[in-house]
Amino acid sequence: MLSEFDLIKQYFRRARSSHSGHVVLGIGDDCALLAPTPGMQSAISTDLLIEGRHFFAGADARMLGHKSLAVNLSDLAAMGARPVGFTLALSLPGADPEWLEAFSSGMFALADQHDCELIGGDTTRGPLAICITVFGEIAPGHALRRDAARAGHDIWISGTLGDARLALAGYWKEIALDAESLAQAAPRMHLPTPRVELGRALAALPIAHAALDISDGLVGDLTHILDASKVGATLDIDALPPGPALAQQPLALRRRFTLAGGDDYELCFTAPASERAAVLAAAGSAGVPVTRVGTIDAQPGLRLVDAAGKAVEMDVQGWDHFSGE
Ligand code: ADP
Ligand code: MG
């Protein structure tokens, strides 16, 4: 049986340190030491994932390692921050070498893509739970804050929406989903891609705009921007880009899962209409497609319209059962 210290040494402490030069001291002491870039602000976020609530019991360990870090990096992306390092607090029912090997390799593969180093953590025995805290940095005044949306701004979405929710519907047998569609949609649920490059490219533009990552569904998450910015919005529900698997489903389901899916980890952001070319150039440099899906209004509340501009009444609140319930 592995001791706690052997376990840390074997699976989490690595010789390699990030190339950024920010990590002065990593795993092994009472604290890690970070050297911030002079003049930059720290961006810090944490997410707790609990077995049976945030992921299925028995979930694939490699994908879980990826997803645990991805949801945290997604928060840095939504702020426009550059990842620097992260800590990992793990509660484990036992020291299963196979699980630890798969989990850590999934996590480190994504960490290395973003030059984001594991700098410390805590390990304890208990029900399976994973808590990661990420540290990033951003130039003062550049963060993509939820309170920065203004009337007249365009509303943009990165990538596509709804395939993660479609996969969940397939697993839950909420709908009859053929095996091929499930296989196509499932990676969006298990292996989300944090839009770090896009967030950084948007934050680097010299324009004020708001952003967040869509984790609980577009309508619910966009409402956070509207509340923080004290504005309203009109969304063109037929402009919402469905994932490739969802695109083959009937219109009602497409609308429902793009509007209130969850687990997409795409960015929703706003920008002045005069900056469309700059936004498209930023997205191009990040290699992520972006779609304009609506407008920020001075009038509070969220209005849904179809492609013809006709108001559509939908009980979006009723679809909120995915947001961790
Ligand atoms: P302390 O008793 O001072 O809290 P620990 O004995 O818990 O320290 O941990 C020893 C070292 O290993 C610390 O540097 C800590 O940050 C690191 N560590 C513990 N668990 C993990 C983990 N799951 N991932 C990464 N580092 C960890
Ligand atoms: Mg400790």
Side-chain angles (χ1 to χ4, degrees), residues 4-51:
E4 180 187 333
F5 299 102
D6 289 340
L7 183 158
I8 296 165
K9 209 166 117 200
Q10 190 157 343
Y11 297 104
F12 297 115
R13 189 172 178 172
R14 300 193 303 167
R16 179 193 171 278
S17 60
S18 75
H19 305 293
S20 66
H22 291 295
V23 181
V24 177
L25 186 64
I27 294 173
D29 214 315
D30 296 307
C31 289
L33 296 175
L34 294 179
T37 307
M40 297 290 268
Q41 292 176 340
S42 296
I44 300 166
S45 182
T46 198
D47 258 302
L48 172 62
L49 282 83
I50 297 190
E51 184 177 52

mmCIF file of all heavy atoms in Angstrom, residues 4-51:
data_model
loop_
_atom_site.group_PDB
_atom_site.id
_atom_site.type_symbol
_atom_site.label_atom_id
_atom_site.label_comp_id
_atom_site.label_asym_id
_atom_site.label_seq_id
_atom_site.Cartn_x
_atom_site.Cartn_y
_atom_site.Cartn_z
ATOM 1 N N GLU A 4 1.049 8.162 1.767
ATOM 2 C CA GLU A 4 0.617 9.440 1.207
ATOM 3 C C GLU A 4 1.774 10.122 0.469
ATOM 4 O O GLU A 4 1.618 10.657 -0.620
ATOM 5 C CB GLU A 4 0.101 10.321 2.353
ATOM 6 C CG GLU A 4 -0.384 11.680 1.916
ATOM 7 C CD GLU A 4 -0.727 12.576 3.101
ATOM 8 O OE1 GLU A 4 -1.087 12.044 4.178
ATOM 9 O OE2 GLU A 4 -0.602 13.800 2.952
ATOM 10 N N PHE A 5 2.962 10.046 1.066
ATOM 11 C CA PHE A 5 4.104 10.770 0.480
ATOM 12 C C PHE A 5 4.617 10.078 -0.772
ATOM 13 O O PHE A 5 4.986 10.727 -1.739
ATOM 14 C CB PHE A 5 5.200 10.953 1.528
ATOM 15 C CG PHE A 5 4.693 11.759 2.693
ATOM 16 C CD1 PHE A 5 4.342 11.151 3.883
ATOM 17 C CD2 PHE A 5 4.496 13.130 2.548
ATOM 18 C CE1 PHE A 5 3.814 11.896 4.927
ATOM 19 C CE2 PHE A 5 3.972 13.890 3.591
ATOM 20 C CZ PHE A 5 3.627 13.269 4.782
ATOM 21 N N ASP A 6 4.600 8.728 -0.759
ATOM 22 C CA ASP A 6 4.993 7.993 -1.961
ATOM 23 C C ASP A 6 4.030 8.299 -3.110
ATOM 24 O O ASP A 6 4.441 8.444 -4.259
ATOM 25 C CB ASP A 6 4.997 6.483 -1.694
ATOM 26 C CG ASP A 6 6.148 6.081 -0.779
ATOM 27 O OD1 ASP A 6 7.118 6.866 -0.686
ATOM 28 O OD2 ASP A 6 6.058 5.016 -0.145
ATOM 29 N N LEU A 7 2.773 8.361 -2.742
ATOM 30 C CA LEU A 7 1.739 8.618 -3.746
ATOM 31 C C LEU A 7 1.977 9.979 -4.413
ATOM 32 O O LEU A 7 1.951 10.111 -5.638
ATOM 33 C CB LEU A 7 0.375 8.572 -3.045
ATOM 34 C CG LEU A 7 -0.911 8.735 -3.833
ATOM 35 C CD1 LEU A 7 -2.056 8.106 -3.035
ATOM 36 C CD2 LEU A 7 -1.228 10.179 -4.123
ATOM 37 N N ILE A 8 2.230 10.989 -3.600
ATOM 38 C CA ILE A 8 2.478 12.337 -4.146
ATOM 39 C C ILE A 8 3.719 12.315 -5.031
ATOM 40 O O ILE A 8 3.726 12.842 -6.140
ATOM 41 C CB ILE A 8 2.624 13.364 -3.002
ATOM 42 C CG1 ILE A 8 1.309 13.480 -2.238
ATOM 43 C CG2 ILE A 8 3.067 14.725 -3.541
ATOM 44 C CD1 ILE A 8 1.429 14.161 -0.896
ATOM 45 N N LYS A 9 4.769 11.654 -4.499
ATOM 46 C CA LYS A 9 6.037 11.619 -5.235
ATOM 47 C C LYS A 9 5.875 10.893 -6.567
ATOM 48 O O LYS A 9 6.364 11.331 -7.602
ATOM 49 C CB LYS A 9 7.086 10.891 -4.367
ATOM 50 C CG LYS A 9 8.501 11.361 -4.630
ATOM 51 C CD LYS A 9 9.435 10.886 -3.538
ATOM 52 C CE LYS A 9 10.465 9.961 -4.134
ATOM 53 N NZ LYS A 9 11.111 9.106 -3.156
ATOM 54 N N GLN A 10 5.158 9.790 -6.520
ATOM 55 C CA GLN A 10 5.055 8.960 -7.710
ATOM 56 C C GLN A 10 4.150 9.554 -8.798
ATOM 57 O O GLN A 10 4.455 9.439 -9.977
ATOM 58 C CB GLN A 10 4.542 7.577 -7.312
ATOM 59 C CG GLN A 10 4.646 6.588 -8.439
ATOM 60 C CD GLN A 10 4.672 5.165 -7.888
ATOM 61 O OE1 GLN A 10 4.925 4.929 -6.695
ATOM 62 N NE2 GLN A 10 4.386 4.220 -8.755
ATOM 63 N N TYR A 11 3.050 10.158 -8.381
ATOM 64 C CA TYR A 11 2.070 10.564 -9.390
ATOM 65 C C TYR A 11 1.962 12.065 -9.619
ATOM 66 O O TYR A 11 1.477 12.494 -10.662
ATOM 67 C CB TYR A 11 0.689 9.994 -9.039
ATOM 68 C CG TYR A 11 0.698 8.498 -9.057
ATOM 69 C CD1 TYR A 11 0.719 7.767 -7.868
ATOM 70 C CD2 TYR A 11 0.746 7.806 -10.269
ATOM 71 C CE1 TYR A 11 0.772 6.389 -7.887
ATOM 72 C CE2 TYR A 11 0.794 6.430 -10.302
ATOM 73 C CZ TYR A 11 0.806 5.720 -9.107
ATOM 74 O OH TYR A 11 0.866 4.356 -9.134
ATOM 75 N N PHE A 12 2.395 12.873 -8.657
ATOM 76 C CA PHE A 12 2.124 14.304 -8.796
ATOM 77 C C PHE A 12 3.362 15.193 -8.799
ATOM 78 O O PHE A 12 3.309 16.316 -9.248
ATOM 79 C CB PHE A 12 1.134 14.755 -7.714
ATOM 80 C CG PHE A 12 -0.192 14.081 -7.853
ATOM 81 C CD1 PHE A 12 -0.665 13.203 -6.881
ATOM 82 C CD2 PHE A 12 -0.955 14.269 -8.994
ATOM 83 C CE1 PHE A 12 -1.876 12.557 -7.031
ATOM 84 C CE2 PHE A 12 -2.167 13.625 -9.160
ATOM 85 C CZ PHE A 12 -2.637 12.761 -8.177
ATOM 86 N N ARG A 13 4.462 14.678 -8.254
ATOM 87 C CA ARG A 13 5.657 15.513 -8.232
ATOM 88 C C ARG A 13 6.502 15.167 -9.444
ATOM 89 O O ARG A 13 6.895 14.028 -9.636
ATOM 90 C CB ARG A 13 6.438 15.233 -6.941
ATOM 91 C CG ARG A 13 7.575 16.206 -6.733
ATOM 92 C CD ARG A 13 8.171 15.996 -5.361
ATOM 93 N NE ARG A 13 9.291 16.902 -5.186
ATOM 94 C CZ ARG A 13 9.909 17.056 -4.033
ATOM 95 N NH1 ARG A 13 9.531 16.382 -2.969
ATOM 96 N NH2 ARG A 13 10.915 17.894 -3.955
ATOM 97 N N ARG A 14 6.769 16.122 -10.282
ATOM 98 C CA ARG A 14 7.498 15.848 -11.511
ATOM 99 C C ARG A 14 8.766 16.697 -11.567
ATOM 100 O O ARG A 14 8.815 17.787 -11.004
ATOM 101 C CB ARG A 14 6.626 16.161 -12.726
ATOM 102 C CG ARG A 14 5.357 15.324 -12.749
ATOM 103 C CD ARG A 14 4.680 15.412 -14.092
ATOM 104 N NE ARG A 14 4.365 16.787 -14.456
ATOM 105 C CZ ARG A 14 3.998 17.174 -15.680
ATOM 106 N NH1 ARG A 14 3.894 16.292 -16.647
ATOM 107 N NH2 ARG A 14 3.727 18.423 -15.927
ATOM 108 N N ALA A 15 9.749 16.206 -12.285
ATOM 109 C CA ALA A 15 11.007 16.935 -12.401
ATOM 110 C C ALA A 15 10.787 18.231 -13.182
ATOM 111 O O ALA A 15 11.296 19.281 -12.842
ATOM 112 C CB ALA A 15 12.042 16.083 -13.121
ATOM 113 N N ARG A 16 9.961 18.090 -14.216
ATOM 114 C CA ARG A 16 9.759 19.234 -15.089
ATOM 115 C C ARG A 16 9.059 20.383 -14.354
ATOM 116 O O ARG A 16 8.097 20.205 -13.648
ATOM 117 C CB ARG A 16 8.864 18.795 -16.244
ATOM 118 C CG ARG A 16 8.566 19.902 -17.203
ATOM 119 C CD ARG A 16 7.427 19.503 -18.134
ATOM 120 N NE ARG A 16 7.017 20.659 -18.895
ATOM 121 C CZ ARG A 16 6.193 21.577 -18.427
ATOM 122 N NH1 ARG A 16 5.690 21.482 -17.223
ATOM 123 N NH2 ARG A 16 5.882 22.617 -19.171
ATOM 124 N N SER A 17 9.567 21.571 -14.533
ATOM 125 C CA SER A 17 8.798 22.720 -14.047
ATOM 126 C C SER A 17 8.447 23.564 -15.260
ATOM 127 O O SER A 17 9.025 23.401 -16.339
ATOM 128 C CB SER A 17 9.601 23.527 -13.040
ATOM 129 O OG SER A 17 10.771 24.000 -13.634
ATOM 130 N N SER A 18 7.488 24.461 -15.113
ATOM 131 C CA SER A 18 7.024 25.219 -16.271
ATOM 132 C C SER A 18 8.135 26.117 -16.787
ATOM 133 O O SER A 18 9.094 26.410 -16.100
ATOM 134 C CB SER A 18 5.802 26.053 -15.897
ATOM 135 O OG SER A 18 6.205 27.151 -15.125
ATOM 136 N N HIS A 19 7.969 26.545 -18.012
ATOM 137 C CA HIS A 19 8.995 27.359 -18.657
ATOM 138 C C HIS A 19 8.815 28.838 -18.365
ATOM 139 O O HIS A 19 9.603 29.658 -18.777
ATOM 140 C CB HIS A 19 8.949 27.122 -20.170
ATOM 141 C CG HIS A 19 9.086 25.677 -20.523
ATOM 142 N ND1 HIS A 19 10.262 24.990 -20.304
ATOM 143 C CD2 HIS A 19 8.205 24.781 -21.015
ATOM 144 C CE1 HIS A 19 10.084 23.729 -20.689
ATOM 145 N NE2 HIS A 19 8.854 23.583 -21.105
ATOM 146 N N SER A 20 7.735 29.173 -17.665
ATOM 147 C CA SER A 20 7.409 30.588 -17.507
ATOM 148 C C SER A 20 8.340 31.300 -16.534
ATOM 149 O O SER A 20 8.465 32.515 -16.572
ATOM 150 C CB SER A 20 5.974 30.725 -17.002
ATOM 151 O OG SER A 20 5.893 30.184 -15.695
ATOM 152 N N GLY A 21 8.996 30.539 -15.656
ATOM 153 C CA GLY A 21 9.863 31.173 -14.665
ATOM 154 C C GLY A 21 9.106 31.719 -13.466
ATOM 155 O O GLY A 21 9.701 32.299 -12.560
ATOM 156 N N HIS A 22 7.784 31.505 -13.428
ATOM 157 C CA HIS A 22 7.001 32.037 -12.313
ATOM 158 C C HIS A 22 7.065 31.164 -11.072
ATOM 159 O O HIS A 22 6.848 31.612 -9.963
ATOM 160 C CB HIS A 22 5.543 32.196 -12.722
ATOM 161 C CG HIS A 22 5.340 33.273 -13.734
ATOM 162 N ND1 HIS A 22 5.582 34.596 -13.449
ATOM 163 C CD2 HIS A 22 4.954 33.237 -15.027
ATOM 164 C CE1 HIS A 22 5.340 35.322 -14.525
ATOM 165 N NE2 HIS A 22 4.971 34.519 -15.501
ATOM 166 N N VAL A 23 7.315 29.860 -11.294
ATOM 167 C CA VAL A 23 7.299 28.947 -10.152
ATOM 168 C C VAL A 23 8.715 28.857 -9.569
ATOM 169 O O VAL A 23 9.599 28.232 -10.136
ATOM 170 C CB VAL A 23 6.789 27.555 -10.566
ATOM 171 C CG1 VAL A 23 6.764 26.625 -9.359
ATOM 172 C CG2 VAL A 23 5.403 27.668 -11.196
ATOM 173 N N VAL A 24 8.899 29.499 -8.419
ATOM 174 C CA VAL A 24 10.201 29.501 -7.759
ATOM 175 C C VAL A 24 10.387 28.205 -6.984
ATOM 176 O O VAL A 24 11.468 27.623 -6.969
ATOM 177 C CB VAL A 24 10.315 30.727 -6.812
ATOM 178 C CG1 VAL A 24 11.632 30.713 -6.053
ATOM 179 C CG2 VAL A 24 10.143 32.017 -7.595
ATOM 180 N N LEU A 25 9.298 27.758 -6.341
ATOM 181 C CA LEU A 25 9.342 26.518 -5.569
ATOM 182 C C LEU A 25 8.014 25.795 -5.736
ATOM 183 O O LEU A 25 6.952 26.393 -5.503
ATOM 184 C CB LEU A 25 9.596 26.845 -4.088
ATOM 185 C CG LEU A 25 9.814 25.656 -3.146
ATOM 186 C CD1 LEU A 25 11.083 24.893 -3.508
ATOM 187 C CD2 LEU A 25 9.878 26.133 -1.700
ATOM 188 N N GLY A 26 8.069 24.534 -6.164
ATOM 189 C CA GLY A 26 6.845 23.766 -6.398
ATOM 190 C C GLY A 26 6.536 22.832 -5.241
ATOM 191 O O GLY A 26 6.721 23.177 -4.072
ATOM 192 N N ILE A 27 6.098 21.627 -5.581
ATOM 193 C CA ILE A 27 5.690 20.637 -4.579
ATOM 194 C C ILE A 27 6.851 20.268 -3.651
ATOM 195 O O ILE A 27 7.978 20.122 -4.116
ATOM 196 C CB ILE A 27 5.173 19.372 -5.294
ATOM 197 C CG1 ILE A 27 3.886 19.694 -6.058
ATOM 198 C CG2 ILE A 27 4.975 18.219 -4.323
ATOM 199 C CD1 ILE A 27 3.393 18.549 -6.917
ATOM 200 N N GLY A 28 6.547 20.089 -2.364
ATOM 201 C CA GLY A 28 7.543 19.540 -1.457
ATOM 202 C C GLY A 28 7.768 20.337 -0.193
ATOM 203 O O GLY A 28 8.251 19.795 0.796
ATOM 204 N N ASP A 29 7.434 21.604 -0.188
ATOM 205 C CA ASP A 29 7.605 22.395 1.036
ATOM 206 C C ASP A 29 6.215 22.734 1.582
ATOM 207 O O ASP A 29 5.209 22.250 1.092
ATOM 208 C CB ASP A 29 8.441 23.646 0.734
ATOM 209 C CG ASP A 29 9.321 24.034 1.920
ATOM 210 O OD1 ASP A 29 8.790 24.028 3.058
ATOM 211 O OD2 ASP A 29 10.516 24.336 1.706
ATOM 212 N N ASP A 30 6.184 23.581 2.599
ATOM 213 C CA ASP A 30 4.887 23.923 3.195
ATOM 214 C C ASP A 30 4.047 24.802 2.270
ATOM 215 O O ASP A 30 2.822 24.757 2.313
ATOM 216 C CB ASP A 30 5.099 24.626 4.539
ATOM 217 C CG ASP A 30 5.761 23.677 5.533
ATOM 218 O OD1 ASP A 30 5.222 22.570 5.717
ATOM 219 O OD2 ASP A 30 6.822 24.011 6.082
ATOM 220 N N CYS A 31 4.706 25.598 1.492
ATOM 221 C CA CYS A 31 4.020 26.429 0.495
ATOM 222 C C CYS A 31 4.806 26.366 -0.810
ATOM 223 O O CYS A 31 6.011 26.142 -0.803
ATOM 224 C CB CYS A 31 3.993 27.905 0.902
ATOM 225 S SG CYS A 31 2.909 28.308 2.261
ATOM 226 N N ALA A 32 4.122 26.615 -1.896
ATOM 227 C CA ALA A 32 4.820 26.891 -3.165
ATOM 228 C C ALA A 32 5.162 28.383 -3.179
ATOM 229 O O ALA A 32 4.517 29.181 -2.502
ATOM 230 C CB ALA A 32 3.914 26.543 -4.335
ATOM 231 N N LEU A 33 6.159 28.737 -3.952
ATOM 232 C CA LEU A 33 6.512 30.151 -4.104
ATOM 233 C C LEU A 33 6.383 30.541 -5.571
ATOM 234 O O LEU A 33 6.919 29.866 -6.451
ATOM 235 C CB LEU A 33 7.956 30.401 -3.635
ATOM 236 C CG LEU A 33 8.230 30.146 -2.144
ATOM 237 C CD1 LEU A 33 9.719 30.321 -1.850
ATOM 238 C CD2 LEU A 33 7.395 31.073 -1.262
ATOM 239 N N LEU A 34 5.637 31.613 -5.816
ATOM 240 C CA LEU A 34 5.450 32.118 -7.177
ATOM 241 C C LEU A 34 6.066 33.500 -7.289
ATOM 242 O O LEU A 34 5.968 34.301 -6.363
ATOM 243 C CB LEU A 34 3.955 32.246 -7.504
ATOM 244 C CG LEU A 34 3.131 30.971 -7.593
ATOM 245 C CD1 LEU A 34 1.675 31.317 -7.904
ATOM 246 C CD2 LEU A 34 3.688 30.037 -8.656
ATOM 247 N N ALA A 35 6.690 33.779 -8.404
ATOM 248 C CA ALA A 35 7.232 35.117 -8.662
ATOM 249 C C ALA A 35 6.358 35.789 -9.706
ATOM 250 O O ALA A 35 6.435 35.458 -10.891
ATOM 251 C CB ALA A 35 8.667 35.020 -9.167
ATOM 252 N N PRO A 36 5.470 36.682 -9.295
ATOM 253 C CA PRO A 36 4.586 37.308 -10.275
ATOM 254 C C PRO A 36 5.356 38.236 -11.209
ATOM 255 O O PRO A 36 6.388 38.784 -10.826
ATOM 256 C CB PRO A 36 3.600 38.118 -9.425
ATOM 257 C CG PRO A 36 4.169 38.191 -8.060
ATOM 258 C CD PRO A 36 5.300 37.212 -7.940
ATOM 259 N N THR A 37 4.863 38.373 -12.434
ATOM 260 C CA THR A 37 5.444 39.365 -13.343
ATOM 261 C C THR A 37 5.136 40.750 -12.775
ATOM 262 O O THR A 37 3.973 41.035 -12.471
ATOM 263 C CB THR A 37 4.802 39.236 -14.736
ATOM 264 O OG1 THR A 37 4.906 37.879 -15.160
ATOM 265 C CG2 THR A 37 5.481 40.147 -15.737
ATOM 266 N N PRO A 38 6.147 41.593 -12.611
ATOM 267 C CA PRO A 38 5.895 42.915 -12.032
ATOM 268 C C PRO A 38 4.789 43.659 -12.779
ATOM 269 O O PRO A 38 4.753 43.652 -14.010
ATOM 270 C CB PRO A 38 7.242 43.636 -12.185
ATOM 271 C CG PRO A 38 8.253 42.547 -12.274
ATOM 272 C CD PRO A 38 7.569 41.402 -12.944
ATOM 273 N N GLY A 39 3.876 44.243 -12.033
ATOM 274 C CA GLY A 39 2.806 45.042 -12.630
ATOM 275 C C GLY A 39 1.580 44.265 -13.058
ATOM 276 O O GLY A 39 0.571 44.858 -13.413
ATOM 277 N N MET A 40 1.649 42.927 -13.015
ATOM 278 C CA MET A 40 0.482 42.137 -13.436
ATOM 279 C C MET A 40 -0.405 41.825 -12.228
ATOM 280 O O MET A 40 0.066 41.775 -11.092
ATOM 281 C CB MET A 40 0.928 40.820 -14.078
ATOM 282 C CG MET A 40 1.738 41.009 -15.352
ATOM 283 S SD MET A 40 0.746 41.617 -16.717
ATOM 284 C CE MET A 40 0.268 40.052 -17.466
ATOM 285 N N GLN A 41 -1.692 41.583 -12.502
ATOM 286 C CA GLN A 41 -2.612 41.162 -11.453
ATOM 287 C C GLN A 41 -2.737 39.643 -11.465
ATOM 288 O O GLN A 41 -2.630 39.018 -12.512
ATOM 289 C CB GLN A 41 -3.994 41.785 -11.684
ATOM 290 C CG GLN A 41 -3.987 43.290 -11.486
ATOM 291 C CD GLN A 41 -5.328 43.929 -11.809
ATOM 292 O OE1 GLN A 41 -6.153 43.346 -12.522
ATOM 293 N NE2 GLN A 41 -5.533 45.129 -11.308
ATOM 294 N N SER A 42 -2.970 39.063 -10.257
ATOM 295 C CA SER A 42 -3.208 37.625 -10.163
ATOM 296 C C SER A 42 -4.681 37.338 -10.434
ATOM 297 O O SER A 42 -5.548 38.061 -9.957
ATOM 298 C CB SER A 42 -2.866 37.109 -8.761
ATOM 299 O OG SER A 42 -1.506 37.276 -8.514
ATOM 300 N N ALA A 43 -4.949 36.263 -11.172
ATOM 301 C CA ALA A 43 -6.321 35.781 -11.380
ATOM 302 C C ALA A 43 -6.389 34.402 -10.731
ATOM 303 O O ALA A 43 -5.558 33.538 -11.037
ATOM 304 C CB ALA A 43 -6.621 35.692 -12.870
ATOM 305 N N ILE A 44 -7.317 34.200 -9.818
ATOM 306 C CA ILE A 44 -7.359 32.961 -9.035
ATOM 307 C C ILE A 44 -8.771 32.393 -9.069
ATOM 308 O O ILE A 44 -9.740 33.133 -8.924
ATOM 309 C CB ILE A 44 -6.951 33.250 -7.567
ATOM 310 C CG1 ILE A 44 -5.532 33.831 -7.532
ATOM 311 C CG2 ILE A 44 -7.035 31.977 -6.722
ATOM 312 C CD1 ILE A 44 -5.174 34.459 -6.209
ATOM 313 N N SER A 45 -8.879 31.086 -9.279
ATOM 314 C CA SER A 45 -10.205 30.476 -9.308
ATOM 315 C C SER A 45 -10.117 29.039 -8.803
ATOM 316 O O SER A 45 -9.076 28.390 -8.935
ATOM 317 C CB SER A 45 -10.757 30.485 -10.730
ATOM 318 O OG SER A 45 -12.051 29.934 -10.743
ATOM 319 N N THR A 46 -11.189 28.554 -8.223
ATOM 320 C CA THR A 46 -11.182 27.187 -7.706
ATOM 321 C C THR A 46 -12.478 26.478 -8.063
ATOM 322 O O THR A 46 -13.532 27.111 -8.193
ATOM 323 C CB THR A 46 -10.954 27.224 -6.171
ATOM 324 O OG1 THR A 46 -10.545 25.953 -5.721
ATOM 325 C CG2 THR A 46 -12.185 27.648 -5.416
ATOM 326 N N ASP A 47 -12.411 25.193 -8.279
ATOM 327 C CA ASP A 47 -13.592 24.385 -8.578
ATOM 328 C C ASP A 47 -13.492 23.052 -7.851
ATOM 329 O O ASP A 47 -12.441 22.419 -7.853
ATOM 330 C CB ASP A 47 -13.683 24.113 -10.089
ATOM 331 C CG ASP A 47 -14.711 25.008 -10.763
ATOM 332 O OD1 ASP A 47 -15.884 24.951 -10.352
ATOM 333 O OD2 ASP A 47 -14.327 25.753 -11.671
ATOM 334 N N LEU A 48 -14.599 22.638 -7.286
ATOM 335 C CA LEU A 48 -14.655 21.390 -6.532
ATOM 336 C C LEU A 48 -15.540 20.411 -7.290
ATOM 337 O O LEU A 48 -16.670 20.744 -7.638
ATOM 338 C CB LEU A 48 -15.237 21.681 -5.138
ATOM 339 C CG LEU A 48 -15.555 20.510 -4.234
ATOM 340 C CD1 LEU A 48 -14.296 19.719 -3.903
ATOM 341 C CD2 LEU A 48 -16.197 21.012 -2.945
ATOM 342 N N LEU A 49 -15.031 19.219 -7.560
ATOM 343 C CA LEU A 49 -15.809 18.204 -8.265
ATOM 344 C C LEU A 49 -15.997 16.993 -7.357
ATOM 345 O O LEU A 49 -15.007 16.438 -6.859
ATOM 346 C CB LEU A 49 -15.095 17.767 -9.549
ATOM 347 C CG LEU A 49 -15.212 18.715 -10.756
ATOM 348 C CD1 LEU A 49 -14.192 19.828 -10.665
ATOM 349 C CD2 LEU A 49 -15.019 17.953 -12.049
ATOM 350 N N ILE A 50 -17.223 16.595 -7.173
ATOM 351 C CA ILE A 50 -17.539 15.498 -6.262
ATOM 352 C C ILE A 50 -18.178 14.345 -7.022
ATOM 353 O O ILE A 50 -19.085 14.562 -7.841
ATOM 354 C CB ILE A 50 -18.462 16.008 -5.134
ATOM 355 C CG1 ILE A 50 -17.689 17.076 -4.338
ATOM 356 C CG2 ILE A 50 -18.949 14.875 -4.238
ATOM 357 C CD1 ILE A 50 -18.325 17.518 -3.082
ATOM 358 N N GLU A 51 -17.675 13.149 -6.733
ATOM 359 C CA GLU A 51 -18.204 11.962 -7.411
ATOM 360 C C GLU A 51 -19.700 11.822 -7.132
ATOM 361 O O GLU A 51 -20.137 11.974 -5.984
ATOM 362 C CB GLU A 51 -17.472 10.704 -6.913
ATOM 363 C CG GLU A 51 -17.901 9.441 -7.655
ATOM 364 C CD GLU A 51 -17.121 8.208 -7.206
ATOM 365 O OE1 GLU A 51 -17.063 7.956 -5.988
ATOM 366 O OE2 GLU A 51 -16.573 7.520 -8.072
#
